Structures are given as structure tokens and as C-alpha cells.
Amino acid sequence: MHQTLERAFPIVAAAIGNRFGISISVGGTEAYTDGQSIQLPGYNGSEPQYQNYAWGYLAHEAAHIRFSDFQLDFGDSVLRRRICGAIEDVRIEHELAKVYPAPA
């Protein structure tokens, strides 16, 4: 199962990216987007919840592309950027839940 996921996830992520006109890369340890592409962490075979995390990262970063304004300038303060980033994470998750509500 883990080996299948390890091989399949980058392929599925790339197919999703192609469908929506964005590039998706899998590798490293971080998940982020610049508004044009998504970087997802590589497969971690020692983490039993990896599959859930992987799809969650993909949905979260795709929500940033859909709902975030990448032209906003939060200034030079690292603290301000991190606080604004945390607020933005909550905001885009709220927007995503409006489009894709959880089943009752």
C-alpha cells in the first residue's frame, strides 16, 4: 500500500496540476505555493497518516491559488508576514469549506 502511494501520488498530483494549468512538484519537506505552482512534501513511509496529509496539503495549497491575493505586500516584518499567513490560512480554509462542505 505505502509503496503504491509513494509511486502514485506524484503522478496523480501532476495530473491534477495539468488539469488546472499549474505545476505540482513532490519532494522535500515543505508544502507551499507561489500562486503559479505547488510544492508538496515527499512521501514519508514512516508516517501512517501520510496519505491524509498529502491530500490535505494539496487541497490547502490549491485553495491558496484559488482564494489568495498574491499581490498583497505584508512588508518586511517576519512576525507580520507569519501572522498574516496564519490568518490567511484560516480564511482560505473557510472559503474552501463554503465550496466543498463536509458531509453531515
Side-chain angles (χ1 to χ4, degrees), residues 1-88:
M1 166 71 168
H2 290 297
Q3 193 174 31
T4 302
L5 178 62
E6 181 178 6
R7 283 184 270 170
F9 185 70
I11 296 166
V12 173
I16 291 169
N18 286 338
R19 169 76 171 87
F20 294 102
I22 57 172
S23 67
I24 300 178
S25 301
V26 178
T29 60
E30 296 184 62
Y32 57 87
T33 184
D34 61 5
Q36 303 297 314
S37 63
I38 294 174
Q39 175 67 45
L40 299 172
Y43 177 74
N44 180 353
S46 66
E47 177 56 61
Q49 289 296 317
Y50 176 80
Q51 182 176 2
N52 295 332
Y53 296 148
W55 294 117
Y57 282 137
L58 180 57
H60 179 85
E61 298 307 330
H64 273 298
I65 290 176
R66 184 170 182 179
F67 299 115
S68 292
D69 181 351
F70 289 90
Q71 301 305 313
L72 293 177
D73 181 9
F74 296 118
D76 295 329
S77 167
V78 172
L79 178 60
R80 180 185 172 112
R81 282 195 316 268
R82 290 199 176 166
I83 290 171
C84 289
I87 293 168
E88 181 65 359

Side-chain angles (χ1 to χ4, degrees), residues 64 67-69 86-96:
H64 273 298
F67 299 115
S68 292
D69 181 351
I87 293 168
E88 181 65 359
D89 283 347
V90 172
R91 189 189 74 77
I92 62 113
E93 290 288 340
H94 179 74
E95 293 299 318
L96 190 61

